[in-house]
Amino acid sequence: MSAVRKVLVQGGGIGGLTLAAALAQRGIEVDVAEATGSASVLGVGLNQPNNALAALEEIGVRGSCLESGFQFEPLGIWNTAGAEVATIPPPEGRYGQPSNNGIARPLYTSILRAAAEKAGANIITGVTIWEMTEDHDGIDVELATWTGKRTPALRQDGAASSRYDVVVGFDGLRSRVREHLFADAYTPTFTGFACWRIRMPRSADLTQVVFVMGKDVKAVLTPISDDEMYIALVTPEPGNPRHDPVDFVRLVHERMRDFTGPLAELRDSITDAGQINYTPLEHVTVREPWFRGRIAIAGDAAHTSPPHLAQGAAMAVEDAVTLAAALAEHSAVPAALDAWFARRRDRALFVADMSLALLKQEMGREMAPDEGQLVKLGIPGALTRLAQEAY
Ligand SMILES: Cc1cc2nc3c(=O)[nH]c(=O)nc-3n(C[C@H](O)[C@H](O)[C@H](O)COP(=O)(O)OP(=O)(O)OC[C@H]3O[C@@H](n4cnc5c(N)ncnc54)[C@H](O)[C@@H]3O)c2cc1C
């Protein structure tokens, strides 16, 4: 018999919605407390590698993702003039083809949300946890109104508590559930780099993810549909500046100044700050168990890393489907959470550590000895490990 009848998930992003669908499909009652709702989904895309697609198949949405996205096999490497200099073949492994699916984030989120709601999950937007009181067989939770990242939540007059068997924080890099469990033991660290993502019409010759290494810039071009693509630029941003959006177009042009040929044409087509999203790259890695008692964290809340393997969201969906399975299979919560963490720890932390090491290597930064060992695997070696290992 399942260890749980009712679960609260804080965070209705990629991981939280996947967990909600996976639990509700097993007949477990789920509430999702999401701060901002669909307004928080950035209008940029991401790559779903085939391990993510396999996990998404467990909740029945792999087909919809493929229909909405753009599939490709090898990854390309171009020089700064836009000529192909090498390809990275898809790793052979257990997850089959396609190896990759580029997809727009808002579409991805709406597919997950529809699956969660169809299965019966209750998604509440504009709220966050106010208070959690845990005893030996459950947690009483009061929700409050979300008023923004930098302002305190608003307690609702006469709000009642609801009781849950488990609470899961899928609430991202600045997780409040993580803070509840570990106080300030884990706070995000700025890497010294940021990512500029620019959405634009797909150029006809972009049929796969392409990497371009320039001076002080790495560009990644990703097709996300027949019509659309995005460019992600990783650049050093010393001091973590808060750039004014009115300067975005100029700053992106400066960072792409060494690009010529078709890449210069793409650069010159960027004229609207509304196409551009800027994200400082931060990381946080929780190495001890991702739970205490009946409260757990997962996805970026437990392990956020730079996007260098394009596996962060993949790890979140893997965390989600394996957590739902563990909660359904075990008859006691501690055993379920223990088994889940033991299954997930090495794989998720490998992605976190490898991604950070790759960022440092590509940008010529000093690495610790264990990071130096990790990067010897290279991107092909890391992707092969992830493709061969079961999640
Ligand atoms: C530049 C860049 C490119 C990337 N590219 C890829 C890629 O190609 N492939 C890939 O697999 N991954 C990629 N990632 C990583 C991926 O975006 C994340 O790993 C993934 O979104 C994590 O999912 P999550 O559900 O754990 O957290 P999030 O997506 O951050 O979702 C957290 C949710 O919780 C909500 N929330 C936050 N705080 C609260 C609160 N207090 N109360 C209630 N709700 C709250 C938020 O509104 C949000 O909806 C990329 C990341 C970056 C930065």
Side-chain angles (χ1 to χ4, degrees):
M1 203 189 84
S2 161
V4 295
R5 274 174 306 179
K6 190 169 178 186
V7 174
L8 175 67
V9 183
Q10 167 144 299
I14 292 168
L17 291 172
T18 304
L19 176 62
L23 289 170
Q25 288 172 357
R26 288 174 165 86
I28 294 166
E29 205 180 324
V30 195
D31 288 340
V32 177
E34 163 56 38
T36 56
S38 55
S40 69
V41 180
L42 296 170
V44 193
L46 55 64
N47 182 36
Q48 297 173 317
N50 57 2
N51 51 304
L53 293 168
L56 292 167
E57 176 73 356
E58 291 197 31
I59 59 162
V61 300
R62 178 177 181 274
S64 325
C65 289
L66 295 181
E67 269 167 38
S68 305
F70 190 100
Q71 293 90 56
F72 50 92
E73 292 301 321
L75 311 176
I77 302 176
W78 290 0
N79 64 20
T80 50
E84 184 170 280
V85 289
T87 55
I88 303 175
E92 301 231 339
R94 56 175 63 231
Y95 298 111
Q97 290 188 322
S99 303
N100 300 284
N101 184 51
I103 189 168
R105 279 183 189 251
L107 273 178
Y108 189 9
T109 306
S110 62
I111 289 168
L112 293 173
R113 187 180 171 125
E117 286 184 327
K118 185 171 172 212
N122 176 30
I123 299 168
I124 316 163
T125 52
V127 296
T128 187
I129 293 172
W130 175 264
E131 194 169 63
M132 295 190 269
T133 313
E134 187 174 350
D135 57 42
H136 67 285
D137 67 355
I139 311 152
D140 291 313
V141 181
E142 187 186 323
L143 297 182
T145 303
W146 174 260
T147 61
K149 270 187 199 161
R150 292 182 185 82
T151 46
L154 194 67
R155 193 173 193 182
Q156 295 160 344
D157 276 349
S161 293
S162 298
R163 191 161 175 81
Y164 298 93
D165 299 306
V166 165
V167 172
V168 183
F170 250 119
D171 49 353
L173 173 70
R174 300 191 195 289
S175 168
R176 300 264 174 94
V177 178
R178 184 182 65 230
E179 208 176 291
H180 175 90
L181 293 181
F182 303 108
D184 59 2
Y186 301 97
T187 49
T189 305
F190 177 55
T191 57
F193 296 83
C195 187
W196 304 80
R197 282 171 287 182
I198 308 116
R199 192 168 177 169
M200 56 175 61
R202 183 175 73 85
S203 45
D205 56 345
L206 189 81
T207 54
Q208 60 192 17
V209 159
V210 164
F211 300 112
V212 187
M213 285 306 301
K215 186 177 176 307
D216 273 346
V217 60
K218 176 192 185 185
V220 183
L221 284 60
T222 306
I224 53 173
S225 72
D226 285 343
D227 304 325
E228 286 187 298
M229 60 178 274
Y230 69 96
I231 301 180
L233 303 174
V234 176
T235 57
E237 300 292 340
N240 200 5
R242 293 195 63 173
H243 297 299
D244 187 330
V246 299
D247 298 326
F248 276 8
V249 172
R250 177 179 59 79
L251 294 171
V252 162
H253 280 234
E254 276 174 24
R255 282 150 181 73
M256 294 178 77
R257 64 182 164 263
D258 292 338
F259 294 165
T260 58
L263 291 166
E265 283 171 30
L266 289 177
R267 176 193 63 216
D268 295 343
S269 74
I270 303 167
T271 53
D272 176 6
Q275 291 171 268
I276 304 172
N277 166 265
Y278 177 77
T279 312
L281 294 176
E282 296 172 273
H283 66 99
V284 62
T285 313
V286 179
R287 295 184 189 278
E288 62 185 298
W290 303 333
F291 63 93
R292 287 193 176 162
R294 293 170 170 271
I295 303 174
I297 50 171
D300 272 15
H303 44 78
T304 307
S305 56
H308 283 58
L309 286 172
Q311 282 278 350
M315 291 301 109
V317 294
E318 289 184 4
D319 282 355
V321 296
T322 52
L323 178 54
L327 290 171
E329 280 159 19
H330 288 80
S331 54
V333 169
L337 294 178
D338 262 337
W340 169 68
F341 179 65
R343 181 173 173 183
R344 294 300 303 151
R345 178 189 47 213
D346 289 355
R347 184 170 168 90
L349 297 190
F350 167 70
V351 168
D353 293 341
M354 181 80 192
S355 301
L356 188 58
L358 284 170
L359 169 76
K360 291 184 185 174
Q361 182 194 40
E362 286 173 1
M363 293 294 162
R365 295 305 194 264
E366 202 180 316
M367 284 182 281
D370 48 347
E371 291 177 318
Q373 282 302 320
L374 267 180
V375 293
K376 284 187 186 156
L377 260 183
I379 292 180
L383 295 179
T384 299
R385 173 172 163 178
L386 292 168
Q388 290 179 350
E389 187 182 86
Y391 60 74

